[in-house]
Amino acid sequence: MIKVPRGTQDILPEQSFKWQTVESIIRDTCNVYQYKEIRTPIFEHTELFTRGVGDTTDIVQKEMYTFQDRGERSLTLRPEGTASTVRAYVEHKLFGLPDQPVKLYYMGPMFRYERQQAGRYRQFVQFGIEAIGSADSAVDAEVIALAMDVYKKAGLKNLKLVLNSLGDTESRTAHKEALVAHFSPRIDEFCGDCQKRLEKNPLRILDCKKDRDHELMGTAPKLTDYLNEESASYFERVKAYLDALDIPYELDPNLVRGLDYYNHTAFEIMSTASGFGAITTLAGGGRYNGLVEDLGGPSSPGIGFAMSIERLLLALEAEGVTLEDSSASDAYVIALGDSPKLEAMRIVKNLRDEGISAEMDYADRKLKAQMKSADRKKAKFVLILGEDELSNQTIQIKEMATGEQKLVGLSETVSYMQQKMNKEESR
Ligand code: HAM
């Protein structure tokens, strides 16, 4: 038997309604905040990610699905959405639009060759936003507020926002030098990757999974102690805006994020629900003031975040939040006999024409079996048409929630249902 590839999953109807509910919460929230959707290709030139995400990151070094196409170009399935969004911002000269920042959102599959575990997949769906073209610290707070709002609207309560500042280039250079001085004398006790990182990007050492417990990790110089005045005051303003929006946060000087483009604000949102797996990060993001320029555009500061829908759904489950299946059918039509079945087909069609979701049995089963089906499918109304009803030009309509049953004239079926479903005014 052929199964799905490791790290991927099928989403069957019993789950997909949850995805649809969450997706519509996301789209509504983006609309309320006036972020507009951008759709970029699933694959890009590999160089976009080596330059954009950074060639010392785990994502680029170990996790990309890279292949050559038949024209011998190196392409990569996108591991994240920021690089593509910024590429599009540059390619389509969105920096020239009069209203900056340009506020964009995306939702779609991303691919990373990671070890599979609860909450970690090789194909996962990210929802992310990017606000590009403004260095205003109020935008940082808006981006964080949007992420928190999505989680709250979905019904999550046990959330923690963790915040850090990575400072500007000058602060980072000072911190880098301190890191090199700290790790150099004992770098031979670290893994090969870390030894390479010492020269190229010492900050990445703090992110290493293998050497996590080395004693030098805990005593490493903290970036927050190296922030210059401008970076520190920028961070203070971000915090003041978050306070103004009543968004609580915890400061974590060790939060460095796994992608190279960040500076200034970096944040993650975690689930604190007991029963949520080992991976507690629901979303991550931050500011990337140099990325547009790195990808060939003019200097345009940006900030954004991304979250995976999979982890959002896992968190809902851990908190016991149930999402309502709004796709349950309005009407289940039961026909008993050949002539009633002919008429039932017509009724189902007429109901559907009016936007009422309707279905019927296609196995000619007995009344009891069909009633059970209607129940399982959570139909709101059951319409029963037997030979007697048909010869009297009537139909039984039962409201499942109340048990109330009424004999209705066959020709009034649709209007009765419309009235019942309160659909008239919406038409
Ligand atoms: P990231 O931290 O690599 O950041 O990923 C963001 C989120 O994507 C994670 O917090 C998690 O919810 C989800 N995620 C990542 N990898 C996996 C996986 N293997 N399985 C399931 N979910 C996963 C970025 O991707 C940045 N582009 C975020 C950003 C946008 N920064 C600025 N703008």
Side-chain angles (χ1 to χ4, degrees):
M1 184 181 41
I2 300 172
K3 295 189 173 173
V4 292
R6 188 186 288 266
T8 69
Q9 57 179 343
D10 296 316
I11 294 155
L12 301 178
E14 67 205 40
Q15 291 294 327
S16 58
F17 80 88
K18 296 182 191 169
W19 282 75
Q20 288 173 2
T21 305
V22 166
E23 283 158 11
S24 65
I25 290 171
I26 286 171
R27 290 187 197 282
D28 288 350
T29 311
C30 285
N31 182 41
V32 166
Y33 280 78
Q34 283 294 292
Y35 282 71
K36 310 281 180 184
E37 188 180 19
I38 179 166
R39 301 188 187 202
T40 60
I42 301 275
F43 57 82
E44 298 267 3
H45 293 292
T46 302
E47 195 194 347
L48 174 67
F49 303 114
T50 48
R51 262 168 62 188
V53 174
D55 54 7
T56 58
T57 59
D58 272 0
I59 295 181
V60 168
Q61 287 191 342
K62 303 178 187 159
E63 296 169 1
M64 294 207 303
Y65 282 91
T66 297
F67 60 97
Q68 287 229 323
D69 72 2
R70 286 168 194 274
E72 297 193 351
R73 283 169 286 258
S74 178
L75 298 170
T76 294
L77 298 183
R78 61 182 186 188
E80 60 106 53
T82 310
S84 308
T85 306
V86 169
R87 177 200 47 69
Y89 179 84
V90 174
E91 187 167 342
H92 303 286
K93 301 192 172 55
L94 302 186
F95 48 79
L97 293 177
D99 296 309
Q100 302 285 327
V102 175
K103 306 203 294 185
L104 302 167
Y105 84 91
Y106 49 84
M107 189 153 43
M110 307 289 163
F111 306 85
R112 295 185 194 178
Y113 189 80
E114 293 199 85
R115 202 166 57 83
Q116 188 191 1
Q117 63 187 103
R120 181 167 282 156
Y121 305 90
R122 290 184 176 171
Q123 175 175 330
F124 54 97
V125 175
Q126 259 190 0
F127 152 59
I129 71 168
E130 313 293 347
I132 315 174
S134 166
D136 189 334
S137 49
V139 181
D140 303 37
E142 175 178 283
V143 164
I144 293 173
L146 192 157
M148 295 301 280
D149 259 7
V150 165
Y151 289 129
K152 281 192 202 134
K153 282 187 196 156
L156 289 181
K157 294 204 166 63
N158 301 305
L159 298 167
K160 183 169 80 177
L161 167 66
V162 184
L163 196 64
N164 190 21
S165 170
L166 306 178
D168 60 8
T169 315
E170 187 185 275
S171 314
R172 287 151 67 88
T173 309
H175 179 237
K176 245 185 216 173
E177 282 165 10
L179 283 174
V180 172
H182 178 78
F183 285 112
S184 301
R186 293 172 64 186
I187 194 63
D188 49 349
E189 295 167 26
F190 285 76
C191 70
D193 283 343
C194 281
Q195 296 184 10
K196 278 185 224 140
R197 287 170 181 143
L198 185 71
E199 284 195 6
K200 287 195 96 172
N201 190 356
L203 195 65
R204 282 275 150 262
I205 298 178
L206 301 177
D207 221 15
C208 180
K209 289 170 191 122
K210 275 192 221 139
D211 293 321
R212 199 173 15 208
D213 298 325
H214 193 288
E215 57 167 308
L216 284 189
M217 289 296 214
T219 55
K222 303 217 181 319
L223 217 157
T224 26
D225 296 331
Y226 291 81
L227 293 185
N228 59 17
E229 219 180 293
E230 209 189 315
S231 302
S233 79
Y234 187 88
F235 196 34
E236 287 310 310
R237 282 200 303 278
V238 173
K239 288 190 275 186
Y241 280 120
L242 288 174
D243 293 339
L245 294 177
D246 284 326
I247 299 176
Y249 50 82
E250 275 178 29
L251 298 177
D252 180 357
N254 293 321
L255 180 77
V256 294
R257 311 270 307 123
L259 303 93
D260 276 352
Y261 45 64
Y262 292 115
N263 43 43
H264 291 290
T265 316
F267 66 94
E268 288 189 351
I269 299 168
M270 336 280 266
S271 166
T272 54
S274 60
F276 195 59
I279 299 176
T280 55
T281 306
L282 297 177
R287 194 160 258 293
Y288 45 85
N289 289 352
L291 184 59
V292 176
E293 230 174 330
D294 287 348
L295 295 177
S299 166
S300 314
I303 177 161
F305 75 83
M307 62 171 70
S308 82
I309 312 285
E310 289 84 354
R311 287 191 197 171
L312 167 48
L313 291 172
L314 286 172
L316 287 172
E317 215 170 283
E319 288 197 21
V321 181
T322 47
L323 298 172
E324 204 190 322
D325 185 358
S326 55
S327 68
S329 70
D330 298 329
Y332 189 93
V333 183
I334 296 179
L336 303 165
D338 287 344
S339 324
K341 193 170 173 186
L342 267 177
E343 185 57 35
M345 280 296 276
R346 253 200 301 267
I347 293 170
V348 167
K349 183 200 179 288
N350 292 342
L351 288 170
R352 288 172 176 166
D353 282 351
E354 295 305 321
I356 297 173
S357 68
E359 61 176 342
M360 60 187 281
D361 177 78
Y362 290 125
D364 297 328
R365 292 176 302 167
K366 297 224 158 56
L367 176 65
K368 211 168 149 195
Q370 293 200 45
M371 282 301 282
K372 276 190 184 162
S373 277
D375 219 27
R376 273 195 299 272
K377 288 164 178 277
K378 301 194 176 66
K380 295 183 191 105
F381 291 85
V382 173
L383 286 63
I384 307 164
L385 190 65
E387 300 284 2
D388 285 353
E389 283 87 1
L390 185 59
S391 58
N392 295 328
Q393 287 295 293
T394 56
I395 187 165
Q396 301 273 1
I397 300 188
K398 183 176 178 183
E399 187 166 359
M400 297 300 267
T402 59
E404 185 196 341
Q405 190 159 331
K406 239 189 131 177
L407 195 65
V408 176
L410 205 50
S411 56
E412 273 103 62
T413 311
V414 173
S415 59
Y416 179 85
M417 283 297 292
Q418 272 177 320
Q419 183 199 333
K420 272 286 186 192
M421 310 264 338
N422 214 3
K423 290 228 163 160
E424 251 143 1
E425 65 267 57
S426 64
R427 208 151 285 126

